[in-house]
Amino acid sequence: MNKFRPTIYKKNIFEIDYQKLKKEGITCLIFDLDNTLALLEDKICPEDTKKLIKKLQEDFLIFIISNNTKKRIEPYQKELGVYAVSFALKPLTIGLNKIKLLHHLKKKEMVMIGDQIVTDVLSGNHFRIKTILVDPLGEKDLKITGLNRKIESKIINRYQKRGVFERGNYYG
């Protein structure tokens, strides 16, 4: 059951202590796109997100990994000047492994950041890298994500009963 528990849980990407991650040896930040970096309906990167990513690029390799299409993530990839993996099939670790191999990274240098427990956190935990869960930016999700959210809700309820994890009780 702990395979669903994130290493760190924060309200959003702006609340993450990136300097702490850097001190821990993290050199690679891998972000989910939808409801992590931008709302599903956003066609271009929000300005505050763009500023954060540009600042983070001074200290980290930045990647986007998404189960969405190339057409969806390409504008973000170009605008931010980052490498991206589309149709990543999370929670499988294919996309994470591709990033690791192409950029000669060690797992201890990588962190997966996303808004879904059953895709982002599970993928990162299966790959044995640090995971950071953030609350979804918006309510609107893809249809498949609606199913994921139902599964996620059951997982969170179990964790909450055990006193292990609770939405809104941030840590890390």
Side-chain angles (χ1 to χ4, degrees), residues 1-6 153-167 169 171:
M1 187 68 170
N2 279 339
K3 63 186 172 187
F4 296 107
R5 190 171 193 276
S153 180
K154 290 179 182 188
I155 292 165
I156 290 172
N157 285 340
R158 282 192 202 142
Y159 275 163
Q160 203 168 319
K161 286 177 185 172
R162 291 178 26 210
V164 175
F165 180 89
E166 184 177 345
R167 277 276 182 208
N169 190 7
Y171 60 87

Side-chain angles (χ1 to χ4, degrees), residues 30-142:
I30 305 165
F31 290 93
D32 172 56
L33 176 58
D34 294 318
N35 274 329
T36 299
L37 290 179
L39 293 169
L40 189 63
E41 57 269 15
D42 288 345
K43 302 294 182 227
I44 59 169
C45 190
E47 198 57 40
D48 55 347
T49 301
K50 189 175 3 178
K51 284 180 186 173
L52 175 65
I53 297 299
K54 292 295 183 189
K55 174 114 177 75
L56 291 173
Q57 285 174 317
E58 295 171 10
D59 294 317
F60 299 96
L61 291 170
I62 308 291
F63 300 91
I64 296 173
I65 188 169
S66 176
N67 285 348
N68 214 321
T69 64
K70 184 177 182 177
K71 182 180 176 188
R72 167 70 178 137
I73 66 173
E74 207 166 52
Y76 292 86
Q77 179 182 4
K78 288 179 180 174
E79 190 172 6
L80 297 172
V82 299
Y83 179 80
V85 176
S86 59
F87 198 59
L89 301 173
K90 295 177 291 181
L92 299 178
T93 60
I94 297 164
L96 294 172
N97 197 46
K98 184 176 184 180
I99 291 169
K100 178 187 174 290
L101 294 174
L102 280 174
H103 298 278
H104 310 287
L105 296 164
K106 295 179 179 127
K107 289 183 180 184
K108 66 182 180 180
E109 298 172 312
M110 303 167 69
V111 65
M112 176 68 214
I113 303 165
D115 68 297
Q116 290 188 62
I117 288 175
V118 297
T119 56
D120 306 313
V121 172
L122 183 57
S123 178
N125 285 346
H126 272 180
F127 199 60
R128 294 195 173 112
I129 61 173
K130 188 177 293 255
T131 55
I132 301 175
L133 178 70
V134 295
D135 288 338
L137 290 176
E139 305 262 332
K140 187 176 177 186
D141 276 317
L142 297 170

